[in-house]
Amino acid sequence: MRRRDLLSLIGGAAVAWPLAASAQQKPMPVIGYLAGGSPDLQVPNVAAFRQGLSQTGYVERQNVTIEYRWAEGGYDRLPALAADLVGRKVDLIAAAVGPGPAQAAKNATSTIPIVFTGVGDPIADGLVASLARPGGNVTGFAVLVVELTPKLIELLSELVPRTRVIALLINPSNTAHAGIARDAQEAARTKGLQLAVLKASTETEIDAVFASLVKLQAGGLVIVGDPFFGGRIAQLVALTARDAVPAIYAWREFAAAGGLISYGSSLTDAFRQLGIYAGRMLKGEKPADLPVQQPTKFELVINLKTAKTLGLTVPQSMLQRADEVIE
């Protein structure tokens, strides 16, 4: 072969090699993010999810794509949104928050990996076979909403010891909340309290709940952890302030926004962990081999400024137990 022909062959191969290599590169993985809430109200949660992803080496728009689907509080829309993600052949579905998105995702696919967060009882909801060995294509992070509700009642009664009537706000669209209401009734009876169970799944119904609190002469309000309520932090805190209702919440974000007191696990950390599990699954780990995790740390946060506004004296024993006091 002549030298000119050899150089031509080598040059052609040099051009062809990067083109062939590029054609064989694995496409960027796609995560389907299925949520029951609204995007404008979930900015901190999504940021925490992205942070968790980055801890496993995935950065949105650099080496992973995220397709967001928001139910905007309409849980009946979740099945169609989940089916849309499956139709787009996403590599993984992150379901946030609560059983609604997780169940919609599981009903839509038995093969695409699913990771959830904020589910109270994933076994009872039929999402996993067990916490240690989930089986199937679903795993994630449970929350102890049912178990924590009696503690919320206990803390509220300690803060307003003279009240005999308190209210419990639940979301009827959340399948876990009926069981929570039953357990809460028992916890209230143990404390010698009368418990009024109030329901809201829309902004209008939240307004109606606060109108009924006055008629009930309720001396306190327990707001159960729920993604819909989590997306209405400003509204709920403003209404409790307007009506001077001592309220306890399941997430720190409420107390930080001006709510009186909160007790529960960190919502931000839950979403960060959701991102970590998602990244691990994109790298090849199977949902069936990743145990469902439960929170191990719970935060008691007291907004002392709000307590003073309500004319409440927080017991010194409670202040000493608090993880954070906002002044």
Side-chain angles (χ1 to χ4, degrees), residues 84-204:
D84 179 53
L85 289 173
V86 172
R88 291 179 179 271
K89 294 181 170 55
V90 297
D91 297 279
L92 177 145
I93 296 177
V97 181
Q103 288 173 332
K106 183 175 182 182
N107 291 339
T109 177
S110 61
T111 56
I112 297 173
I114 299 167
V115 57
F116 62 78
T117 190
V119 176
D121 192 340
I123 299 175
D125 288 330
L127 295 171
V128 298
S130 73
L131 300 183
R133 306 181 71 85
N137 64 318
V138 183
T139 189
F141 298 86
V143 291
L144 303 178
V145 177
V146 175
E147 294 84 350
L148 283 180
T149 302
K151 183 66 175 178
L152 297 180
I153 293 173
E154 177 187 328
L155 288 167
L156 184 61
S157 64
E158 186 179 350
L159 197 55
V160 286
R162 294 182 181 179
T163 189
R164 299 269 60 89
V165 180
I166 63 173
L168 178 80
L169 179 58
I170 64 172
N171 181 353
S173 298
N174 191 321
T175 57
H177 282 199
I180 289 172
R182 288 192 298 269
D183 288 355
Q185 288 284 10
E186 181 60 33
R189 277 193 294 268
T190 302
K191 287 285 181 183
L193 298 170
Q194 179 183 338
L195 182 73
V197 178
L198 305 175
K199 302 176 181 180
S201 57
T202 67
E203 290 188 19
T204 302

Side-chain angles (χ1 to χ4, degrees), residues 204-260:
T204 302
E205 288 174 350
I206 289 177
D207 290 330
V209 160
F210 279 84
S212 67
L213 282 175
V214 178
K215 297 177 183 178
L216 290 168
Q217 295 183 325
L221 174 64
V222 177
I223 298 181
V224 176
D226 179 79
F228 172 69
F229 299 152
R232 299 295 181 275
I233 292 176
Q235 180 187 10
L236 288 164
V237 169
L239 288 171
T240 55
R242 183 197 70 186
D243 297 341
V245 178
I248 186 167
Y249 311 86
W251 293 323
R252 178 196 176 278
E253 285 75 9
F254 283 90
L260 175 60

